[in-house]
Amino acid sequence: MPKHGKKYQDSAKLINRDEPVEVTDAVELVKKMATAKFDETVEVAFRLGVDPRHADQMIRGAVVLPHGIGKTQRVIVFAKGDKVKEAEAAGADYVGADDLVQKIQGGWFDFDVAVATPDMMGTVGKLGRVLGPKGLMPNPKTGTVTFDVARAVQEVKAGKIEYRVDKTGIIHAPIGKASFESEKLAENYQTLLDALLKAKPTTAKGQYLRSITLSSTMSPGVPVNPLKPHVVQVQ
């Protein structure tokens, strides 16, 4: 077991892991514990009652958080023809076709999200073994394989995040920075939660939201009550 520092241990004393709290209280506690010299990322982990081994329970998607995540995402676009100018005008950081494929094959990964037009997927497919493990492969389920490249780029720049359940049935996602106002973190949380509730597979059995944990980069996790998931308006 890794040893944690004094600040982490002091923060852990503020948490009663046997008593999940409302998300608004969890947000306040996480902000209080985020004392690092940098602006810590606030993250949420949802443990879901799904079995990712079954294709119909592999939850994956994307959602635009209303207040972003406090980071400007770097977006590349695989496109050709008129779609190149469209992507550039929308704010894409790099646009290309075969040249972009070669650039990535050469070891360049200076980007956070990759978007591709459907007619480019045959070419982009060459990068499957490289982009796939890094979670960077364009995918129709997350809206990153589309002819509407302008909208795709704009959504990512506006705060769109992708989520995917891991093999243990957990979804990890950022919802902002510790410097965000509590209301904004709570609203981002609610937006993501709503998306996951809509994505519930019809084949999922038992309790869907098993547990929810909120934390910052350097803080211990705060358990959130999964039975009362909706945000109470922060005053």
Side-chain angles (χ1 to χ4, degrees):
M1 293 290 289
K3 292 184 178 181
H4 296 291
K6 185 176 184 301
K7 287 185 178 180
Y8 184 99
Q9 294 175 1
D10 289 342
S11 294
K13 294 177 183 178
L14 301 175
I15 302 169
N16 184 343
R17 298 188 182 281
D18 296 324
E19 293 186 12
V21 298
E22 299 298 321
V23 65
T24 47
D25 295 327
V27 166
E28 292 292 347
L29 186 52
V30 167
K31 284 174 61 67
K32 181 179 180 180
M33 295 188 296
T35 58
K37 294 181 179 180
F38 61 93
D39 194 5
E40 297 182 45
T41 296
V42 177
E43 304 168 332
V44 61
F46 295 90
R47 186 165 67 88
L48 305 178
V50 298
D51 186 348
R53 293 176 298 177
H54 299 294
D56 58 355
Q57 293 188 38
M58 173 54 74
I59 298 175
R60 182 177 185 178
V63 63
V64 178
L65 300 182
H67 304 292
I69 59 173
K71 173 186 176 182
T72 300
Q73 301 275 67
R74 298 164 298 176
V75 187
I76 64 169
V77 178
F78 295 94
K80 55 187 177 182
D82 293 339
K83 293 299 176 181
V84 173
K85 291 184 178 180
E86 186 178 322
E88 291 174 340
D93 296 277
Y94 197 101
V95 186
D98 291 323
D99 59 319
L100 184 51
V101 170
Q102 293 174 3
K103 188 177 179 71
I104 293 172
Q105 288 176 327
W108 181 77
F109 295 100
D110 194 18
F111 59 94
D112 302 297
V113 179
V115 175
T117 53
D119 60 337
M120 285 298 299
M121 286 307 292
T123 301
V124 179
K126 300 175 184 177
L127 299 172
R129 292 184 179 181
V130 178
L131 297 182
K134 295 179 179 294
L136 294 171
M137 191 69 178
N139 189 299
K141 291 184 178 180
T142 59
T144 50
V145 177
T146 175
F147 279 116
D148 193 352
V149 292
R151 179 179 178 181
V153 171
Q154 290 166 354
E155 286 184 341
V156 172
K157 292 291 187 179
K160 183 177 183 177
I161 62 166
E162 296 182 10
Y163 55 83
R164 181 177 184 175
V165 67
D166 65 19
K167 61 182 180 181
T168 63
I170 298 176
I171 285 180
H172 298 270
I175 58 169
K177 295 289 186 178
S179 61
F180 279 25
E181 295 175 1
S182 297
E183 294 90 339
K184 292 182 177 180
L185 286 170
E187 288 171 8
N188 278 352
Y189 166 91
Q190 187 65 50
T191 299
L192 175 57
L193 175 60
D194 288 344
L196 295 183
L197 290 174
K198 290 179 181 178
K200 179 182 178 181
T202 56
T203 54
K205 298 179 180 179
Q207 185 177 338
Y208 179 54
L209 291 174
R210 298 290 177 85
S211 67
I212 305 173
T213 304
L214 201 68
S215 64
S216 65
T217 306
M218 304 297 289
S219 83
V222 179
V224 180
N225 190 344
L227 300 180
K228 295 182 179 180
H230 293 288
V231 171
V232 176
Q233 184 63 43
V234 179
Q235 299 298 321

